[in-house]
């Protein structure tokens, strides 16, 4: 039975936390969950017409959620999203509470939730099944699995463990659940095929792939079915590409790719986000391609994800770069646009960034260092990043390092970096999560979360 | 090039080293390839020629036999099982011979555990190790936390800093062989204050970070020993400018309240 008291309390906490300046995006849900741990499941049961879309993956969650919501809104539907970063169960509970009235009624058509990799199983259990028993038959649930890369090993543990947890929880869902999965990712293809859900795969067309060599940001090079080394015919990035197992013949499933859609963002890797969004919208919601195209043309990135800002009349471009795969993709995107960029690298090791910074040694920094005009480095672990840059150079280290400035104070680093950037040029900022928020605060003069 | 006595001699006055990287695409989870990069660069900056030899699944033992430094990183369970299967008796005997002969090596986390006698899982299952070093590891189960965080250990007059992240607790038979004493952090098992092992010129440790970039003395130790074994001559390494390395070390040491 839905406990109205928990909703009311959640709403009050939301108000109080706004006044106190506390984190209003997760605190209300946190309090409500303490009173009733199945509040999410109960709210959904009381609102059985509300459709739910869950977006999970290491990289691209916020961008893809934003694309999907905007297209759906253009269709005249009432859509809401959880606040970015509030992607654990408490963030989702908060979002549901703040969009319901005091009686628990949610007057929206669709909720689009980005979900933390580790929390996906728990969230799924609240969406449909509690303790193995069908509680809520939710034919209106769709799940988008974008990718799975190494990220924050101190917090999430190893990627295989997450993949196994996902596999277990997908198997328990009602069979009519729509699953949109990455057919270029060996592990996701494998667990999705085993799920028995109403599954569709997105990917990139072979002709769009060129990279045959594996970088060091790869996680799944061996067959998830028989542990033999996979043969990659071509690769887009990391372990995404066209693969085949020479022993058991495990290979890519049939994929959908929407090549006529525009890419409003820098970098081919965003094609995966676009294809995932388009596949969900066409197969799950029956939206036409033209409507998707219109929305994409007007798409502006979520904050900190390829966001264009101005600071003291200089152009700044902020790219959240939080793990080896996303950092490498940021580098590729920058170098596809600029011959000699000015860059600012900001590395923090706080809880939202992951406390272990060893991942920076899995990025390919060599080309960026050689081509950059100036490099400024800041953040809690700026000297570690400095070492990564220094050790990327085989010879001529002194002259390469002469364009590198390391400044632990972020405010000063932003000043230095923008001052070095010419008026018509762009300063590219590659920053980890908390570093991106902090940098953005300096650049815009205001706090966003 | 070997001379007529079978000893290595320099080619045109240039020293060279072959760095053997055991299972690079399976045993490399926590940026551990930074150790390979560090060994390679610190050689190149001193005009010591290096060759990185990748020893992947199915490698020929002969390619392992002629390496001058060995490296093996940490891995996920699934990957480690593939490696266990590939590590035949012949490979085991050869690796033991190389370690006994003083071929320097760095074995991190999963690789360090693998050199021991066994790994006992929480449910009591025993996974056999290579049995080259006298140590064993046990996993106390899900109710005991993983040992995660920044770590500082003391070795003679120097301090090593890094980041550890392991569920297994390792116990070494001879505590005198510990690589260092834990100053801050957990080390081998969180109980006896030992961290890692140092046997002949082989180092086993839980330190990620990766360990070598921020601890250049350890990197240079491995390089110097490799040259010494190869050329049968003590070779003094040209000093490098380690100002940046020192700064990166200091940040962690300060946070942990450890002296450098």
């Amino acid at each position: 039975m839905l406990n109205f008291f928990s909703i009311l309390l959640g709403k009050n906490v939301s108000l109080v936390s706004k006044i106190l300046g506390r984190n209003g995006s997760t605190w209300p849900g946190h309090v409500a969950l303490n009173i009733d741990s199945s509040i999410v499941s109960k709210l959904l049961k009381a609102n059985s017409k509300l459709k739910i879309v869950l977006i999970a993956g290491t990289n691209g969650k916020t961008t893809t959620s934003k694309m999907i919501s905007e297209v759906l809104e253009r269709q005249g539907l009432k859509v809401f999203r959880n606040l970015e970063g509030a992607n654990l169960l408490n963030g989702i509970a908060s979002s549901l509470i703040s969009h319901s009235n005091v009686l628990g009624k949610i007057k929206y058509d669709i909720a689009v939730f980005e979900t933390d990799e580790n929390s996906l199983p728990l969230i799924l259990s609240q969406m449909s099944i509690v303790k193995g028993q069908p509680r809520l038959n939710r034919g209106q649930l769709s799940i988008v699995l974008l990718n799975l890369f190494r990220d924050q090993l101190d917090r999430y543990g190893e990627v295989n463990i997450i993949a196994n947890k996902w596999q277990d929880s997908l198997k328990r869902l009602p069979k009519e659940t729509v699953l949109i999965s990455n057919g270029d990712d060996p592990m996701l293809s494998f667990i999705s095929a085993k799920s028995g859900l109403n599954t569709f795969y997105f990917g990139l067309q072979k002709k769009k792939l060129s990279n045959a060599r594996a970088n060091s940001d790869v996680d799944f090079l061996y067959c998830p079915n028989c542990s033999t080394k996979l043969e990659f015919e071509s690769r887009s990035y990391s372990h995404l590409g066209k693969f085949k197992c020479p022993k058991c013949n495990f290979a890519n499933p049939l994929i959908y790719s929407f090549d006529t859609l525009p890419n409003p963002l820098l970098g081919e890797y965003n094609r995966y986000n676009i294809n995932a969004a388009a596949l969900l919208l066409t197969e799950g919601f029956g939206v036409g391609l033209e409507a998707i195209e219109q929305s994409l043309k007007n798409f502006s990135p979520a904050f900190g994800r390829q966001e264009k800002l101005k600071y003291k009349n200089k152009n700044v471009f902020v790219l959240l770069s939080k793990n080896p795969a996303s950092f490498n993709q940021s580098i590729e995107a920058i170098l596809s646009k600029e011959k000699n960029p000015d860059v600012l690298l900001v590395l923090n090791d706080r809880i939202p960034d992951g406390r272990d910074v060893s991942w920076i040694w899995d990025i390919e920094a060599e080309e960026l260092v050689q081509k950059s005009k100036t490099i400024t480095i800041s953040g809690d672990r700026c000297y570690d990043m400095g070492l990564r840059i220094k050790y990327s150079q085989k010879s001529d280290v002194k002259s390469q390092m002469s364009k590198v400035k390391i400044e632990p104070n972020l405010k000063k680093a932003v000043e230095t970096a923008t001052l070095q950037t010419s008026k018509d040029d762009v300063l590219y900022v590659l920053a980890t999560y908390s570093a991106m928020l902090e940098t953005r605060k300096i650049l815009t003069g205001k706090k966003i979360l | 090039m070997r001379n007529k006595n079978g000893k290595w001699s320099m080619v045109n006055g240039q020293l060279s080293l072959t760095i053997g990287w055991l299972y690079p695409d399976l045993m490399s989870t926590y940026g551990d390839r930074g150790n390979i990069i560090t060994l390679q660069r610190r050689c190149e900056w001193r005009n010591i020629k290096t060759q990185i030899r990748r020893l992947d699944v199915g490698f020929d033992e002969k390619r392992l036999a002629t390496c001058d430094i060995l490296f093996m990183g940490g891995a996920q369970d699934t990957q480690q099982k593939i490696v266990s299967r590939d590590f035949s008796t012949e490979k085991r005997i050869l690796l033991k011979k190389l370690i006994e002969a003083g071929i320097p090596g760095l074995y991190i986390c999963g690789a360090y555990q693998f050199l021991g006698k066994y790994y006992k899982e929480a449910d009591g299952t025993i996974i056999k190790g290579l049995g080259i070093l006298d140590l064993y590891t046990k996993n106390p189960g899900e109710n005991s936390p993983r040992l995660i965080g920044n770590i500082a250990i003391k070795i003679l007059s120097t301090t090593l800093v890094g980041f550890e992240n392991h569920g297994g607790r390792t116990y070494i038979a001879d505590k005198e062989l510990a690589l260092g004493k834990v100053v801050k952090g957990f080390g081998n098992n969180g109980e006896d204050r030992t961290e890692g092992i140092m046997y002949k010129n082989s180092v086993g440790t839980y330190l990620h970070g990766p360990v070598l970039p921020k601890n250049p003395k350890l990197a240079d130790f491995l390089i110097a020993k490799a040259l010494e074994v190869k050329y049968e001559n003590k070779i003094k390494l040209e000093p490098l400018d380690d100002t940046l390395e020192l700064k990166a070390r200091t940040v962690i040491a300060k946070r942990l309240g450890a002296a450098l």
Side-chain angles (χ1 to χ4, degrees):
Chain A
M1 142 102 210
L2 192 57
N3 184 343
F4 298 121
F5 175 69
S6 52
I7 298 173
L8 204 60
L9 188 70
K11 283 192 166 293
N12 275 322
V13 169
S14 171
L15 191 70
V16 172
S17 60
K18 266 178 206 155
I19 296 166
L20 294 177
R22 256 202 114 125
N23 187 349
S25 54
T26 56
W27 199 240
H30 182 79
V31 171
L33 282 167
N34 263 337
I35 294 169
D36 183 352
S37 61
S38 53
I39 179 90
V40 169
S41 155
K42 285 175 183 165
L43 273 170
L44 293 180
K45 204 172 178 186
N47 294 279
S48 58
K49 285 196 177 141
L50 180 71
K51 294 190 178 183
I52 306 281
V53 178
L54 296 182
I55 321 265
T58 311
N59 296 330
K61 292 186 286 289
T62 305
T63 299
T64 310
S65 306
K66 194 166 183 279
M67 283 178 184
I68 290 170
S69 312
E70 287 180 7
V71 175
L72 291 172
E73 272 170 354
R74 266 178 172 256
Q75 303 296 300
L77 294 162
K78 285 191 75 184
V79 186
F80 68 97
R81 287 165 57 198
N82 51 339
L83 289 175
E84 93 111 305
N87 56 16
L88 311 180
L89 186 61
N90 58 16
I92 286 172
S94 294
S95 182
L96 285 167
I97 290 167
S98 67
H99 291 89
S100 71
N101 64 20
V102 286
L103 298 174
K105 265 274 152 244
I106 299 174
K107 291 177 178 158
Y108 284 82
D109 301 305
I110 303 165
V112 178
F113 294 137
E114 57 166 282
T115 64
D116 171 81
E117 296 90 286
N118 225 6
S119 305
L120 180 67
L122 175 68
I123 291 165
L124 280 176
S125 75
Q126 293 297 307
M127 295 287 160
S128 60
I129 290 170
V130 179
K131 287 188 185 128
Q133 292 301 312
R135 179 72 79 81
L136 183 79
N137 190 5
R138 185 151 276 285
Q140 285 153 308
L141 175 64
S142 324
I143 302 162
V144 180
L145 301 180
L146 291 171
N147 47 53
L148 201 48
F149 303 115
R150 57 180 69 182
D151 184 25
Q152 300 192 26
L153 294 160
D154 58 316
R155 190 154 73 100
Y156 291 127
E158 293 155 356
V159 250
N160 274 320
I161 298 173
I162 296 188
N164 291 340
K165 284 188 192 163
W166 283 13
Q167 182 169 9
D168 281 347
S169 57
L170 290 176
K171 276 185 189 159
R172 297 189 195 177
L173 295 173
K175 297 299 162 217
E176 58 272 28
T177 304
V178 173
L179 176 63
I180 305 293
S181 182
N182 191 333
D184 284 352
D185 184 314
M187 185 54 102
L188 291 189
S189 302
F190 182 72
I191 65 171
S192 303
K194 293 243 161 189
S195 72
L197 302 178
N198 188 11
T199 309
F200 302 89
Y201 299 91
F202 60 91
L204 295 189
Q205 299 243 26
K206 216 185 289 178
K207 59 174 190 272
K208 294 249 174 204
L209 313 181
S210 52
N211 197 352
R213 198 175 65 93
N215 280 334
S216 293
D217 55 4
V218 291
D219 292 291
F220 303 113
L221 287 183
Y222 284 73
C223 178
N225 186 41
C226 74
S227 297
T228 307
K229 193 165 184 177
L230 292 170
E231 285 170 359
F232 276 82
E233 185 190 335
S234 54
R235 221 183 276 272
S236 53
Y237 72 97
S238 189
H239 54 252
L240 305 183
K242 303 302 167 199
F243 54 84
K244 193 179 172 190
C245 174
K247 196 174 163 200
C248 74
N249 284 330
F250 169 71
N252 302 79
L254 178 72
I255 56 127
Y256 290 83
S257 177
F258 301 84
D259 296 342
T260 55
L261 291 175
N263 179 0
L265 296 165
L266 209 56
E268 276 300 298
Y269 66 94
N270 266 304
R271 285 254 157 229
Y272 279 110
N273 300 332
I274 294 167
N275 286 341
L279 188 55
L280 173 80
L281 290 161
T282 51
E283 295 298 331
F285 292 93
V287 181
L289 274 182
E290 250 171 60
I292 299 172
E293 188 177 336
Q294 279 310 314
S295 261
L296 285 176
K297 276 182 183 159
N298 294 302
F299 184 79
S300 59
F303 80 89
R305 278 97 178 162
Q306 301 200 8
E307 189 184 22
K308 283 176 199 151
L309 296 166
K310 279 258 178 198
Y311 182 76
K312 298 193 174 165
N313 236 356
K314 299 285 174 65
N315 302 304
V316 185
F317 199 73
V318 184
L319 299 103
L320 173 65
S321 306
K322 54 182 182 170
N323 50 45
S326 86
F327 207 102
N328 281 341
Q329 290 314 298
S330 295
I331 292 176
E332 205 175 304
I334 295 169
L335 294 180
S336 72
K337 205 166 172 260
E338 300 278 350
K339 265 195 188 131
N340 303 108
D342 295 287
V343 296
L344 168 62
L345 311 175
V346 197
L347 176 66
N348 279 355
D349 66 350
R350 300 172 200 179
I351 288 169
D353 310 291
R355 292 184 296 143
D356 179 6
V357 296
S358 57
W359 63 270
I360 60 173
W361 293 84
D362 285 328
I363 63 181
E364 307 295 326
E366 194 175 355
E367 197 185 353
L368 180 77
V369 177
Q370 282 163 7
K371 291 189 173 167
S372 291
K373 194 158 79 218
T374 66
I375 299 175
T376 313
I377 304 174
S378 190
D380 304 339
R381 297 296 290 270
C382 55
Y383 298 113
D384 282 83
M385 185 57 95
L387 284 182
R388 178 70 196 95
I389 296 303
K390 176 179 168 185
Y391 280 82
S392 71
Q393 299 309 304
K394 190 175 173 165
S395 53
D396 204 16
V397 186
K398 263 201 182 131
S399 85
Q400 291 293 353
M401 287 304 281
S402 68
K403 65 187 176 195
V404 178
K405 288 197 173 115
I406 304 178
E407 171 53 65
N409 181 310
L410 184 57
K411 182 95 183 61
K412 284 186 194 159
V414 168
E415 294 298 332
T416 308
T418 42
L419 217 64
Q420 291 187 111
T421 307
S422 324
K423 204 176 137 286
D424 299 321
D425 288 346
V426 180
L427 172 67
Y428 292 88
V429 181
L430 281 71
T432 56
Y433 194 79
S434 78
M436 178 273 282
L437 294 182
E438 243 184 305
T439 310
R440 218 184 157 277
K441 194 173 145 191
I442 294 167
L443 293 169
T444 61
K446 62 183 177 234
K447 205 174 159 177
I448 184 121
L449 280 177
Chain B
M1 198 187 289
R2 281 183 193 271
N3 63 21
K4 49 184 183 271
N5 307 323
K7 286 187 181 176
W8 284 99
S9 59
M10 291 186 266
V11 177
N12 300 329
Q14 196 185 25
L15 300 167
S16 73
L17 289 176
T18 299
I19 304 170
W21 188 358
L22 285 152
Y23 305 101
D25 59 8
L26 285 164
M27 306 289 281
S28 71
T29 298
Y30 299 84
D32 285 328
R33 101 170 153 141
N35 295 312
I36 291 282
I37 298 173
T38 305
L39 290 171
Q40 186 180 19
R41 295 297 184 239
R42 295 185 75 83
C43 285
E44 285 164 353
W45 295 339
R46 292 171 166 125
N47 196 25
I48 300 165
K49 210 175 141 194
T50 57
Q51 190 204 343
I52 308 291
R53 184 174 291 166
R54 297 170 69 99
L55 302 164
D56 286 304
V57 168
F59 72 83
D60 184 339
E61 285 114 73
K62 280 180 230 134
R63 298 183 65 233
L64 170 62
T66 49
C67 290
D68 303 310
I69 306 184
L70 295 172
F71 173 75
M72 191 167 171
Q76 308 190 60
D77 291 350
T78 342
Q79 272 90 325
Q80 193 142 353
K81 277 180 196 141
I82 302 175
V83 169
S84 285
R85 244 188 291 148
D86 189 65
F87 226 95
S88 60
T89 312
E90 293 75 35
K91 285 178 183 170
R92 190 182 70 82
I93 293 169
L94 174 59
L95 182 61
K96 187 174 163 63
K97 204 177 108 193
L98 294 173
I99 288 175
E100 292 292 347
I103 295 293
L106 179 62
Y107 305 86
I108 311 279
C109 200
Y112 166 41
Q113 297 169 348
F114 191 47
L115 288 182
K117 290 182 165 163
Y118 62 87
Y119 185 98
K120 190 174 172 186
E121 287 185 339
D123 63 4
T125 315
I126 299 264
I127 301 165
K128 269 186 80 175
L130 293 174
I132 295 174
L133 300 180
D134 196 359
L135 58 91
Y136 67 93
T137 305
K138 58 179 187 187
N139 191 321
E142 280 186 12
N143 293 329
S144 303
R146 275 181 84 82
L147 307 177
I148 305 178
N150 287 307
I151 174 171
I153 65 170
K154 190 99 188 148
I155 305 179
L156 302 174
S157 63
T158 189
T159 302
L160 299 187
V161 295
F163 191 94
E164 60 182 325
N165 184 354
H166 51 110
R169 271 68 167 171
T170 296
Y171 299 86
I172 52 175
D174 182 358
K175 293 197 178 72
E176 294 289 307
L177 290 182
L179 173 65
K181 192 169 178 288
V182 176
V183 180
K184 281 285 159 71
F186 302 101
N188 280 334
N189 46 53
E191 297 158 22
D192 63 16
R193 311 304 288 164
T194 62
E195 206 295 313
I197 198 166
M198 171 97 168
Y199 178 73
K200 303 222 165 160
N201 295 326
S202 293
V203 173
T205 176
Y206 276 117
L207 267 62
H208 296 288
V211 63
L212 295 185
K214 275 199 293 294
N215 301 290
K217 272 191 189 169
L218 182 60
D220 287 354
F221 164 82
L222 295 168
I223 295 169
K225 283 293 173 192
L227 292 171
E228 194 181 315
V229 172
K230 183 173 181 180
Y231 296 102
E232 297 175 41
N233 214 335
K234 263 203 190 302
I235 290 161
K236 201 172 159 2
L237 293 179
E238 189 189 315
L240 297 172
D241 176 3
D242 287 337
T243 319
L244 194 54
E245 285 79 350
L246 183 66
K247 281 182 176 167
R249 288 164 61 72
T250 309
V251 169
I252 292 306
K254 261 193 185 160
R255 252 200 235 180
L256 293 172
L260 275 182

